[in-house]
């Protein structure tokens, strides 16, 4: 089997001449389009990214890895980390307990909307992949403080990605922590309606930390294939999550993974995926592949413009769609 | 035994015995639970249904059919017909034209909500599977009046289901037409904001007619497998829709097919499906199967309680989930 | 010297040299500003009005009348008629019965909003001066059909204004009836949530008819002073409404009379008033005066731009504010 | 000597006997009804109040004062303090600057709603008497920190009420500060949409302090008559506010002073007033009287149940209504 150490992590390799070629080609074709997007600016540190970057990596359940473009450029997980903390919560608390506090409804509201929380009683966030839902999910974890809570999320992220040195980007964390009025508003509102308990600044601190976890496209590909395989990381051989938890995560990614762009993504790409405003997308083709993309130029809904375009082409070329 | 590569996996074929047995068993196991649901009452004629009814049918792309329970009890399509008229619109008008007038966003709003239409400009219904979106979709069809518009939808429904005598239930149609204040409100509102053009009563008439199309579970199974196969009805051999149109329809079913229960359905069942308040659900497992279920006892979100329970069990037993 | 026959209706009279002068002056000063407004266009017939028109009339409880500018130009009451039908409903049904079906809450929603009706249960229109509330109020009246319902409203309007030949403008009525999608949406929605009963087209017909009642500024001044006096028309000497009903009407005018411009009007003018998109405003200074203004150029909230400006100046000059 | 022209009417003066009797009687009649209300509990310290308390005081522009019941029981201003800080802001910043950041629209939303802020751009609180508006108003004041900001508000409150030792209730302040998730949510949300600038905890601290200002019914009566007189405290003789600022304050009190109960209050009582969840109401009858009531038993909208009942009766008995 073809795994070797790359960057202290993994060695991309594989006999997939076809796949290598497809990845190279899509990066080349899509790169000019990235000029049409914009990098996230609401977190100042994210605004410094080079919007011309574009990279992709793909991993199979058999343990192959293919890469192209800026696949090793680092970026922060942002909302992709919500998948990680959800996996942790489902594992530690159980499905029933998590979903008694957070819904599983897709929503066409923007990712940081308070409105719906206010209208519909009981005031339960629609799903764990919008900010409100992710914050509540995090608050349910049985850890006494931000430090231990974040350490647990990071540990799961490391095992999902196989990047055992994965850690947060300090500058992004600080930038995020200091400019997050909307998330503070959400958290205080959630607590005011009884949807959230605990020390808000402490919970938010772990939220900002997990959002700032730094990865590259290959890390996301490994994470995606671990979810695709039903929880076993094909490179480390470790069972990281149960297959049931992976099913839930993939289902939520399929219906709510790209904010209010989830429906269009299902039409165009047709595989479970989760995006982050850091420019990453992790996609998970059940039983087959994981894909990680990176392109910090975002579309108006906050999803990586280049990432979606690459995934659309690859899904078609390699017949990946499951819908 | 016939093994062929479908979706990258080896597919056993012809296990008629196994599938028959599974269907029989789930009907038997689930039937007692139907007493917990309620038949739809907002359309008086639907309120007359026997809520103990429960049936299922399954069809493969190879042309097999299995049935169990009250699979041949007739019921009306209701919202399932939205999939048909969407397929017709996509075929006749093209994807771009349809989606310039109707979105593809999943939504956590109830199926007949006006609110979101009022808040967000441009006032475009979120997706073609909520009432507002279905009415707009219907209005786009190039037919001069309700009679010809309905005839075209019915014709497509006949070819999708293979039931060439499929027609509407007159009593349900009349009941629906006479009690549909909410749909009238929606339609007038849509026209007032420029989202709908044309003669409202005429458009609504074809909408009520298509909702009243009478089918049974087997008809839905055939419709489901026709969508699953990429548009070819495996029984008639006719190409009814293009594979691209089928992909769009399956993606929308996966993200918006069960109203605000779509997310939970994705978690529990994990296949594209569409429900109707008449008690039916059509499910479509890409490249493999179609399933039709019937159970008029509904859960609070308006989806067939027994239908979802049967699909959940079958999906697990037969490894049908794609998410 | 001040008595003349006016339209065969009233004799203006009074020694108010001061008031005459003030009215003349404000018309002169305000007229150039009317170019900044726009006539209502959502009812095509209203779009034909000359936006340079500007007139005012004032009447005292002692029976004096003063006029200036285009005080005798005819226009339609539009929303001002809601005050008339409210007075009729309060008189015929009693306060308790009316307010069990319509609220008395001011609202910052636009006059034709459906949203709030959908969110807050019970689905009761906020107040009788928004469209939804006016339609429900009309539906409560004990008349069998649009003809008799409208006749009763018109009769009350005649007695309030003293214009015994007051009638509707046929062209505006037809224009309104044929372009009123939003009102139809409102009415069907109201019925769908149980807030409205009866034949919708018949109720709306009487609504469109009362909106089309044709008056001039002097008619509104008399109506205003009749409300101000506690229900006795000082010119005819007839008790038209009870003082209790007048109090309710004035309170609602003060808090909800100018749509979402009601708060600003209270600050700038400080007297109970009601506007209509036909360009009229009726103001009622309790125990003292009624004022009618006409200026079809509207501000963005749908209120007569010139009317508000004239009322603000007159209120200051003559110390009319009660708030 | 006792008749003077006020608001165009002859005003009897010095009927001390009549007014004293009326006040005594209403306290007696209304007191049993207070058992139907509930004390505020969302601020724990407020929940300790005796809901049977009921008091009233009335002051005239001529400098008379009448009292009855528990008129000298202390309670905290809560939302009534919003009127004070609004007066301060209008005086220090000018009308134009204040209303460029806060609207003057009445609203039927509950006092602490975030929803409307999210929907309507620009994100400007509807009016200065809802929490969001009051917090923004406070933030506009030209003081460097909570200490000096609160000192300025307290100083104005002292001059308005004539209670020169007026100060905050430490226990209520602490209770409020520690349980104010909703206000924190509001403030962070406001800042996230650009509607608020500055140090949120510092601004909120002054908000909680002003809400905790401790007064009695007589203090409110003096404050009410100072607003009624056009800004001159008839007891101290000091001009505390300009008459223009008082007009604005009275207009806002008339349309938005009792949360979503403002419309009903206008109908039942018909005078400008402002309530607080501490149980107080201040009413201001222009050119004539100020009234302060205290009754901690609240109705479901958060207004003093006994206070409204007393004001309704007094308004009728003494012909105080201006609407």
């Amino acid at each position: 089997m073809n795994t070797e150490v790359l960057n202290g992590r993994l060695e991309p390799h594989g006999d997939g001449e076809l796949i290598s070629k497809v990845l190279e080609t899509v990066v080349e074709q899509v790169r000019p389009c990235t000029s049409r997007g914009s990098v996230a600016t609401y977190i100042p540190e994210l605004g410094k990214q080079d919007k011309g970057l574009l990279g992709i990596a793909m991993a199979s359940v058999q343990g192959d890895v293919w890469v192209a473009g800026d696949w090793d450029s680092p970026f922060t997980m942002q909302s992709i980390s919500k998948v990680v903390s959800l996996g942790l919560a489902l594992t530690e608390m159980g499905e029933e307990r998590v979903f008694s506090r957070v819904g599983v409804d897709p929503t066409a509201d923007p990712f940081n909307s308070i409105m719906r929380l206010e209208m519909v009683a009981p005031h339960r966030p629609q799903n764990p992949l919008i900010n409100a839902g992710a914050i509540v999910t995090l608050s349910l974890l049985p850890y006494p403080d931000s430090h231990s809570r974040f350490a647990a999320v990071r540990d799961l992220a490391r095992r999902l990605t196989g990047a055992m040195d994965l850690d947060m980007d300090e500058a992004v964390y600080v930038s995020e922590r200091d400019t997050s009025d909307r998330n503070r508003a959400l958290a205080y509102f959630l607590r005011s309606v009884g949807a959230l308990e605990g020390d808000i600044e402490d919970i938010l601190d772990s939220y900002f930390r997990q959002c700032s976890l730094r990865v590259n496209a290959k890390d996301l590909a490994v994470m995606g294939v671990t979810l695709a395989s039903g929880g076993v990381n094909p490179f480390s051989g470790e069972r990281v999550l149960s297959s049931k938890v992976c099913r839930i995560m993939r289902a939520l990614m399929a219906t709510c993974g790209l904010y209010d762009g989830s429906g269009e993504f299902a039409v165009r790409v047709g595989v479970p995926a989760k995006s982050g405003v850091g420019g990453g997308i992790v996609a998970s083709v059940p039983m087959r592949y994981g894909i990680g993309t990176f392109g910090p130029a975002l579309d108006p809904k906050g999803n990586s413009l280049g990432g979606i375009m690459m995934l659309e082409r690859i899904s078609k070329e390699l017949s990946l769609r499951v819908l």
Side-chain angles (χ1 to χ4, degrees), chain A residues 105-117:
Chain A
D105 295 330
T107 170
D109 293 307
F111 67 97
N112 52 9
S113 181
I114 291 182
M115 188 163 46
R116 180 169 301 278
L117 288 168

Side-chain angles (χ1 to χ4, degrees), chain A residues 67-289:
Chain A
V67 296
D70 305 309
W71 65 270
D72 59 352
S73 285
F75 55 93
T76 52
M77 284 187 132
Q78 299 300 331
S79 289
I80 298 172
S81 69
K82 294 168 181 171
V83 178
V84 182
S85 47
L86 172 63
L88 186 61
L90 289 170
T91 302
E92 302 219 358
M93 324 295 298
E95 183 181 358
E96 198 176 343
R97 180 128 176 243
V98 171
F99 292 126
S100 70
R101 301 294 298 276
V102 187
V104 290
D105 295 330
T107 170
D109 293 307
F111 67 97
N112 52 9
S113 181
I114 291 182
M115 188 163 46
R116 180 169 301 278
L117 288 168
E118 191 166 354
M119 286 188 314
V120 185
H123 300 284
R124 202 178 62 158
Q126 282 82 60
N127 68 62
L129 301 187
I130 56 171
N131 289 18
I135 291 167
V136 169
T137 301
L138 212 40
S139 77
L140 299 175
L141 289 172
Y143 297 97
D145 54 28
S146 173
H147 181 79
S148 55
R149 200 181 297 118
F150 169 65
V153 173
R154 184 182 54 190
D155 178 63
L156 178 55
R158 287 176 173 175
R159 289 150 62 216
L160 283 167
T161 60
M164 297 314 288
D165 60 349
L166 187 146
D167 217 329
M168 75 177 190
D169 182 314
E170 188 76 23
V172 171
Y173 158 67
V174 169
S175 186
E176 196 143 356
R177 187 190 61 191
D178 294 349
T179 57
S180 200
D181 285 343
R182 185 64 73 101
N183 284 318
R184 276 195 178 75
L186 266 174
Y188 281 109
F189 182 83
L190 288 164
R191 197 169 69 178
S192 79
V193 295
L196 179 69
E197 282 150 36
D199 179 333
I200 282 181
E201 285 301 328
D202 186 74
I203 294 166
L204 286 176
D205 187 69
S206 49
Y207 179 69
F208 300 143
R209 285 177 190 273
Q210 77 168 34
C211 285
S212 305
L213 282 169
R214 190 173 40 213
V215 294
N216 63 29
K218 188 184 53 56
D219 298 331
L220 293 186
V222 178
M223 173 176 163
V225 81
T226 303
L227 299 181
S229 77
V232 175
N233 181 325
F235 300 93
S236 68
E238 183 195 357
R239 168 160 294 283
V240 182
L241 292 170
S242 75
S243 66
K244 188 181 178 193
V245 164
C246 289
R247 278 201 302 273
I248 296 172
M249 291 162 78
R250 293 192 312 249
L252 283 163
M253 290 161 73
T255 51
C256 336
L258 276 85
Y259 311 122
D260 43 332
S262 300
E264 192 181 341
F265 189 84
V267 167
R268 287 172 58 188
V269 184
V271 303
K274 181 74 201 86
S275 64
V277 293
I281 301 179
V282 57
S284 183
V285 188
M287 308 306 135
R288 300 174 69 195
Y289 298 111

Side-chain angles (χ1 to χ4, degrees), chain A residues 27-40:
Chain A
V27 168
E28 201 176 304
Q29 289 173 336
V30 169
R31 202 186 291 270
C33 305
T34 59
S35 62
R36 300 205 311 261
S38 314
V39 296

